[in-house]
Amino acid sequence: MSQSADENKQRPLSLLNDFYIDFLGSLIPGLFAIVIGVAALSWSGSILCYSISSFSKSSLSQKDVVPTLEEQIIKWRDIGLGPYGNICLLLVASYVLGSIFYRQDPKKPDYKSARRIWRDPKLSKQDRDRLAVQPTSEHGTDVTEYDSQFPYFYLKEYLEGRGLNHLTRWVPWSGRNQETWKYRTKMFINLLKIRLQYLVPERCKDIIRNEAHVRMATSVWYASKFLIILTGTAFVMTCLTYLFAQNYSILSVMLFDLILFVFAFYIKFKIEWFAHYLRVREVVYVLETADFASRLGHQLYQEDFIKTAK
């Protein structure tokens, strides 16, 4: 097959992969953040403005009913560019905000997740010895952010502990041999991805899917942190409004803000239980695809990765 034919074959797959990763990594987290954030801040802000306006005219009595969420939706529905224009504006804003989350360092949620797994009291010592993230210091009893750097120091031990010994030949470092740590680099996985995309792009669908899921998980984690601040601010704003107006109708708004705050915190908490697993699975898929492609005769030039470890 000619080089131009290879490029024509890879171009549609590349565009589809980029769209898939952007959709899950940027648009979905951005939409998640904007919908919940606007719902919390707009209602709380409207209640605050309504209370201040009512108080400036006369004291807000207990009989006064503050605007409901349904009334807020009806009020804002016809403002802007119309239904279709507002949807387009929402998608653009979601993509822009989601892109900010997408560009955040995935190390932070990965570290939080790896540390939570390491601290799991259900794990035995044998189970911890098989983890990809372990304390690199002999005097350390807990994993640090340095220990969880990708790809992981104890990746080879992780593979060996699960019987994936055929993949260990691709990993030129060992967590229990500090002299080999200098061969550990993030570009190790990226170079394998580049070569696999060039040689067997049709076999990289699972790799792309795993990468997209990792990106979505980390982006939603950052979006949840953002929402915790927004919903917390909305809750405090509503509490101050209640103290200012002394109207029991505001309690429903406080409950709504509190529910959104707990929901954002819950999403962040749950992601920290599986984000690390997603990143480890991504590495295993890349290594397995590379190993099997090399067995089928595709030249990946493995010596580029392991010659320095000899």
Side-chain angles (χ1 to χ4, degrees), residues 220-282:
V220 172
W221 187 85
Y222 279 105
S224 298
K225 285 189 63 177
F226 176 72
L227 285 175
I228 288 173
I229 297 174
L230 279 187
T231 54
T233 302
F235 179 75
V236 172
M237 186 188 306
T238 309
C239 290
L240 294 176
T241 304
Y242 176 74
L243 295 175
F244 175 76
Q246 291 294 314
N247 189 292
Y248 292 125
S249 300
I250 300 176
L251 294 177
S252 61
V253 188
M254 294 172 58
L255 180 60
F256 178 75
D257 293 337
L258 183 60
I259 290 175
L260 293 182
F261 177 84
V262 173
F263 176 72
F265 185 84
Y266 175 78
I267 293 296
K268 177 178 175 292
F269 175 79
K270 295 300 291 185
I271 289 176
E272 290 178 0
W273 273 111
F274 64 80
H276 177 63
Y277 167 75
L278 292 179
R279 296 212 81 188
V280 173
R281 185 180 68 175
E282 178 188 7

Side-chain angles (χ1 to χ4, degrees), residues 44-60:
S44 298
S46 298
I47 295 301
L48 179 60
C49 294
Y50 175 81
S51 300
I52 293 175
S53 175
S54 300
F55 185 81
S56 62
K57 297 177 182 178
S58 61
S59 180
L60 188 65

